[in-house]
Amino acid sequence: MEYPSASMTQSEENYLKGIYHLSHAGRASVSTNAIAAHMETKPSSVTDMLKRLSDKDLVDYQPYKGVTLTSGGTAQALRVIRKHRLWEVFLVEKLDFSWDEVHEVAEQLEHIASEKLIDRLDALLDYPDFDPHGDPIPDKEGHFKTREKRLLSTLQPGEKGVCIGVKDSSSPFLRFLDKNGIALGTRIAVLEKEEFDDSMAIQMGEQQLQISHQIATNLYIKPIT
Amino acid sequence: MEYPSASMTQSEENYLKGIYHLSHAGRASVSTNAIAAHMETKPSSVTDMLKRLSDKDLVDYQPYKGVTLTSGGTAQALRVIRKHRLWEVFLVEKLDFSWDEVHEVAEQLEHIASEKLIDRLDALLDYPDFDPHGDPIPDKEGHFKTREKRLLSTLQPGEKGVCIGVKDSSSPFLRFLDKNGIALGTRIAVLEKEEFDDSMAIQMGEQQLQISHQIATNLYIKPIT
DNA sequence: ACATATTTTTAGATTTGTCTAAATTTATTT
DNA sequence: AAATAAATTTAGACAAATCTAAAAATATGT
């Protein structure tokens, strides 16, 4: 049984979210330094926070051994991630933000505390399963849809698929995609693969494009047969 | 010329907003105790904050003499108020919140810092001039529309008008109005005034209602002839 | 396995925002 | 105008969140 979410500070929420992302699914133990790097803060600050989170039973923390999220901590992290991603959908769908602009604002909006607000937002957006970068949106219970996804770089010439997400969601990368007409839902067919530098020629609609390996390893594709 | 808004903490924003409301239009000087009462905090905390705001040139503060907002402080307060009221409209219009539920959430949303977000929200809502309680929404330059407004209690039998706002916006009062079918835009005609307790009989559509003086002194009406 | 390097924690300081209790200033009363 | 009351400020403390510098624990290399 889940406890009603105790009040948390924004900083605590950010740490839980960070730890969640680093441990990928709440499994593996995460190191102090890894957290510090990810949060752009100092290891000593991380240690302080880990103690606080441990006192609140949100993480299992053993000095020098790293941390894992408790079930309560995981639930909280997923709540924040849910809010973040729903707000991103809102910003893109309702306020015409581009997908490279949403993150910073969503970082703030994700801390707004109102269950009703999020439920209603979810409804307004018609219960989306994925955010504008293709990442899954957890439901109220923390469950989310998965779908077959492969990096574009793993497709062979002749295979095709539809773009469903990005691995790198930095602004330069997203702006590059925009500029070249690649968005979520874009259908891509692989024409050729260059052995020399692993770049590939792809077809999108009637447009053809040569993309580097760097690009191809950061685009998620759902294969279609 | 206006400076680009320096970064402010939520607490600073709340104080500026509080001082603005207490000084009604940025004119009169406001006392430490009045601020403490309004913000539900202690006078000593207020003194601390006033010094900080004074250092940032957001208020004119003279010990023992009270404060007034500087032009910069007024501009900041109006920016926060603009955001608060736009979010209230959003919550009511797009997420079906009732007018007694919006305040608490808007108190949080008003601190989200993104000019683009607010501009786009304004557009999504079709540039509203008034919030769900009838209060005017400042534009980007801090200007807002005014309109003739009188307390219902000042109307004489035979006069009529349309409800355009509330003075008290506490939940119990707003829920009372909801329950009795009084909303913004409701047309009200005064039938009779009871000398004894200043209660009045009013007509709304085909419905008749007896309301206390207490109610009548908290409802703003735009008279119609 | 021992020395060195890396990681992590502790100790102590800082900032923001708050508080209580005491001191000070201003206002009121007789 | 002196005494009392009220309002305001100061002084000192505390919690959250961060930092730097130093100490302690763990890991690595030969």
Side-chain angles (χ1 to χ4, degrees):
Chain A
M1 212 198 81
E2 218 49 76
Y3 293 114
S5 64
S7 106
M8 286 204 303
T9 65
Q10 294 198 184
S11 192
E12 287 172 337
E13 289 190 343
N14 285 334
Y15 272 93
L16 291 180
K17 191 172 54 125
I19 296 168
Y20 181 90
H21 283 133
L22 289 169
S23 65
H24 220 258
R27 294 229 168 276
S29 157
V30 180
S31 78
T32 301
N33 264 10
I35 298 171
H38 184 254
M39 315 272 301
E40 298 184 290
T41 182
K42 303 294 171 188
S44 57
S45 306
V46 175
T47 302
D48 287 348
M49 180 56 87
L50 293 183
K51 285 186 204 155
R52 251 179 312 228
L53 293 174
S54 184
D55 288 345
K56 294 191 174 190
D57 279 318
L58 294 165
V59 299
D60 285 322
Y61 168 58
Q62 267 154 309
Y64 297 103
K65 301 294 183 191
V67 275
T68 55
L69 293 174
T70 62
S71 65
T74 304
Q76 290 284 14
L78 285 169
R79 264 189 276 273
V80 177
I81 290 167
R82 169 173 161 77
K83 288 193 280 183
H84 182 103
R85 293 180 179 166
L86 281 173
W87 279 116
E88 285 196 343
V89 175
F90 171 75
L91 292 173
V92 168
E93 298 282 308
K94 301 296 180 184
L95 300 190
D96 295 314
F97 277 60
S98 59
W99 64 353
D100 66 300
E101 298 174 314
V102 296
H103 186 76
E104 190 193 356
V105 181
E107 283 289 298
Q108 297 179 62
L109 287 164
E110 72 187 5
H111 300 294
I112 303 293
S114 166
E115 181 120 17
K116 181 174 247 171
L117 173 62
I118 292 305
D119 291 348
R120 297 287 175 87
L121 189 64
D122 197 19
L124 176 72
L125 301 171
D126 212 11
Y127 310 101
D129 289 321
F130 299 92
D131 79 9
H133 308 107
D135 296 314
I137 299 173
D139 67 18
K140 294 187 71 169
E141 281 71 44
H143 308 127
F144 44 76
K145 294 255 182 10
T146 52
R147 53 185 173 185
E148 192 188 356
K149 83 181 174 184
R150 287 166 56 191
L151 290 175
L152 175 54
S153 55
T154 68
L155 296 207
Q156 296 308 313
E159 291 190 285
K160 47 186 192 287
V162 41
C163 172
I164 58 167
V166 291
K167 190 168 167 197
D168 172 9
S169 59
S170 69
S171 281
F173 181 54
L174 295 175
R175 278 201 299 270
F176 167 88
L177 297 179
D178 268 349
K179 201 164 52 197
N180 290 101
I182 303 175
L184 292 195
T186 301
R187 295 168 73 103
I188 294 177
V190 176
L191 301 174
E192 237 184 311
K193 247 177 141 167
E194 199 55 65
E195 257 193 74
F196 170 61
D197 64 351
D198 282 320
S199 69
M200 42 174 48
I202 61 175
Q203 179 97 37
M204 303 150 46
E206 59 253 50
Q207 198 198 342
Q208 241 178 264
L209 196 64
Q210 190 73 20
I211 62 172
S212 70
H213 185 62
Q214 170 84 312
I215 301 293
T217 53
N218 279 298
L219 258 188
Y220 286 120
I221 300 296
K222 174 179 169 185
I224 47 184
T225 48
Chain B
M1 210 197 84
E2 218 49 75
Y3 291 114
S5 63
S7 106
M8 286 204 301
T9 66
Q10 294 197 184
S11 191
E12 288 173 335
E13 290 190 341
N14 284 335
Y15 272 93
L16 291 180
K17 191 173 54 127
I19 296 168
Y20 181 91
H21 283 134
L22 289 170
S23 64
H24 218 258
R27 295 228 166 278
S29 158
V30 180
S31 79
T32 301
N33 264 10
I35 298 170
H38 184 254
M39 314 272 301
E40 295 182 296
T41 183
K42 302 296 171 190
S44 57
S45 306
V46 175
T47 302
D48 287 348
M49 181 55 89
L50 293 183
K51 284 186 205 155
R52 241 167 305 167
L53 294 174
S54 183
D55 288 345
K56 294 191 174 191
D57 278 319
L58 294 165
V59 299
D60 285 321
Y61 168 57
Q62 266 154 312
Y64 296 104
K65 301 296 183 189
V67 275
T68 55
L69 293 173
T70 62
S71 64
T74 304
Q76 290 284 15
L78 285 169
R79 265 190 276 272
V80 177
I81 290 167
R82 169 173 162 78
K83 289 193 278 183
H84 182 103
R85 292 181 180 167
L86 281 173
W87 280 117
E88 287 197 342
V89 175
F90 171 76
L91 293 172
V92 168
E93 298 281 309
K94 301 294 180 185
L95 300 190
D96 295 315
F97 277 61
S98 59
W99 65 352
D100 66 300
E101 297 174 315
V102 295
H103 187 75
E104 190 193 355
V105 182
E107 284 290 298
Q108 297 180 62
L109 287 164
E110 72 187 5
H111 300 295
I112 304 294
S114 165
E115 181 120 16
K116 182 176 247 170
L117 172 62
I118 292 306
D119 290 348
R120 297 285 175 89
L121 189 64
D122 197 19
L124 177 73
L125 302 171
D126 213 12
Y127 310 101
D129 290 322
F130 299 93
D131 80 7
H133 308 106
D135 296 314
I137 300 174
D139 66 18
K140 294 186 72 170
E141 281 72 43
H143 307 129
F144 44 74
K145 293 255 178 18
T146 52
R147 53 185 172 185
E148 193 189 357
K149 84 181 173 183
R150 287 165 57 190
L151 290 174
L152 174 55
S153 56
T154 68
L155 297 205
Q156 297 308 314
E159 293 189 283
K160 46 187 192 289
V162 42
C163 172
I164 57 167
V166 293
K167 190 168 167 194
D168 173 9
S169 58
S170 68
S171 281
F173 181 55
L174 295 175
R175 279 201 299 271
F176 168 88
L177 296 178
D178 267 350
K179 202 164 52 197
N180 291 101
I182 303 175
L184 292 195
T186 301
R187 294 168 74 102
I188 294 176
V190 177
L191 301 174
E192 236 184 312
K193 248 178 142 166
E194 198 56 64
E195 256 193 77
F196 170 61
D197 64 353
D198 283 321
S199 69
M200 41 173 52
I202 61 175
Q203 179 95 36
M204 301 151 45
E206 59 253 51
Q207 195 196 346
Q208 242 177 263
L209 197 64
Q210 190 73 19
I211 63 171
S212 70
H213 185 62
Q214 170 83 313
I215 301 292
T217 54
N218 280 297
L219 257 188
Y220 286 120
I221 299 296
K222 174 179 168 185
I224 47 184
T225 48

